[in-house]
Amino acid sequence: MTNKQVRSSESVRQSRGVERLVVGSPTSDGAGVKLTRVLTQPLQRRLDPFLMLDAFASDNPDDYIGGFPDHPHRGFETVTYMIAGRMQHRDSAGHEGLLENGGVQWMTAGRGVIHSEIPQQEAGVMEGFQLWLNLPARDKMSEPWYRDFAAAELPRFETDGGVAVTVIAGESHGVAGAVTREATAPLYLDLHLPAGTRFAQPLPAGHNAFVYVYRGEARIGGETLPANRMAILANEAEADGVVIEAAGEAKVLLIAGRPLNEAIAQYGPFVMNTDQEIYQALNDFRDGRLA
């Protein structure tokens, strides 16, 4: 599928509004990689099934060159979307891949994976996002799974209004994304809005949703969303979707999903349902049984 495929705009009768704007927290992870944590632990219940969103962007190799050496995960999925740069992935299940400009890596940690993510460049821009998506209790100890999608493999289309859309997960305007998940029904869209355009996306009333603006400025329901801000969308029973507008050129992520409504117990890279399951994960990691 290419950007030349034009799809008719969806109809949204009433758009969700913005419940609140969130400013990300600068932090570092791995071997000192500088990033902005946009979706933090206190928002996990509100944005269930999403656990975390990190945004990283730098042209200074000192900010990213150390990468993320071997580290464990259990109980959730990671979705890494590279806007610019190259990242090498290796894991304990024998998977290895190179994530390049515009590519996506989707990994289901399940019962346990130990992996590394190391930049394959010594200069230039490194930019992208990592989203953590929770797994239902029944799937937390499932077999690990992973796949790399090159940019050319991701479904894309253009609306008749000129908005370019990459469908990483879910479905938009009749186009199915690269990945679907029954339990959480995630929607993950990258929207490139030229100046003076709008994009409408139907959303189930019970799904939690947010927008992250990473270029320019967008508007939802008359409220301006500046760059590098996350807008949590209100769960309004009468709203049937969201309408995003851009006076100037803008690039935004639209992410939504069905809440699991399950207990969340997190300790670093382990996300389970009970403290006892966290203790078990720590013991398994310590004793070499995690992966």
Side-chain angles (χ1 to χ4, degrees):
M1 188 170 296
T2 71
N3 285 313
K4 293 180 180 178
Q5 181 169 352
V6 177
R7 293 274 171 158
S8 298
S9 294
E10 291 272 15
S11 174
V12 169
R13 178 180 48 81
Q14 181 169 333
S15 176
R16 294 192 187 197
V18 175
E19 180 178 300
R20 60 180 284 205
L21 287 177
V22 175
V23 180
S25 304
T27 186
S28 65
D29 211 339
V33 177
K34 291 184 180 178
L35 50 84
T36 300
R37 187 140 294 160
V38 183
L39 198 172
T40 56
Q41 206 161 339
L43 291 172
Q44 289 177 346
R45 296 303 312 178
R46 174 61 188 83
L47 291 175
D48 178 14
F50 303 104
L51 299 164
M52 189 186 82
L53 177 67
D54 283 346
F56 51 93
S58 178
D59 59 3
N60 179 1
D62 292 340
D63 291 346
Y64 61 74
I65 201 69
F68 305 89
D70 280 351
H71 57 282
H73 290 304
R74 174 179 278 182
F76 61 100
E77 304 190 89
T78 67
V79 186
T80 307
Y81 181 29
M82 292 295 293
I83 302 298
R86 302 165 75 240
M87 191 87 79
Q88 181 81 31
H89 164 88
R90 291 188 179 91
D91 70 30
S92 55
H95 302 125
E96 184 173 334
L98 182 64
L99 197 55
E100 301 189 74
N101 289 15
V104 168
Q105 179 204 90
W106 195 294
M107 185 183 77
T108 304
R111 67 171 182 259
V113 159
I114 298 172
H115 75 153
S116 65
E117 300 151 296
I118 305 297
Q120 291 297 292
Q121 63 187 68
E122 295 179 359
V125 177
M126 178 74 71
E127 182 176 6
F129 308 94
Q130 186 168 96
L131 178 72
W132 287 15
L133 172 64
N134 207 359
L135 286 168
R138 67 174 183 268
D139 295 334
K140 283 188 176 292
M141 296 297 284
S142 62
E143 189 78 18
W145 178 88
Y146 136 95
R147 182 166 171 193
D148 270 343
F149 298 90
E153 296 178 280
L154 294 173
R156 304 170 190 269
F157 68 91
E158 188 174 295
T159 69
D160 52 11
V163 178
V165 183
T166 302
V167 190
I168 296 170
E171 182 178 312
S172 179
H173 295 61
V175 176
V179 175
T180 58
R181 287 288 182 265
E182 181 181 355
T184 50
L187 175 75
Y188 190 163
L189 306 180
D190 182 13
L191 309 173
H192 294 192
L193 295 95
T197 60
R198 69 195 296 273
F199 178 81
Q201 174 67 37
L203 295 172
H207 289 203
N208 291 325
F210 62 94
V211 168
Y212 181 73
V213 181
Y214 68 95
R215 291 285 193 283
E217 194 175 86
R219 289 179 70 81
I220 295 176
E223 180 155 356
T224 299
L225 316 181
N228 306 317
R229 296 291 187 276
M230 176 174 71
I232 298 176
L233 302 184
N235 290 9
E236 299 160 333
E238 62 275 16
D240 59 341
V242 63
V243 176
I244 303 170
E245 300 174 305
E249 184 178 352
K251 296 182 180 180
V252 308
L253 304 179
L254 171 59
I255 298 173
R258 179 190 296 128
L260 291 170
N261 295 315
E262 295 179 354
I264 300 171
Q266 179 178 357
Y267 183 83
F270 307 127
V271 183
M272 305 301 288
N273 298 102
T274 68
D275 289 344
Q276 185 55 48
E277 289 169 334
I278 292 293
Y279 302 146
Q280 186 63 55
L282 288 166
N283 288 337
D284 288 347
F285 179 52
R286 180 195 62 204
D287 297 339
R289 297 190 304 264
L290 183 103

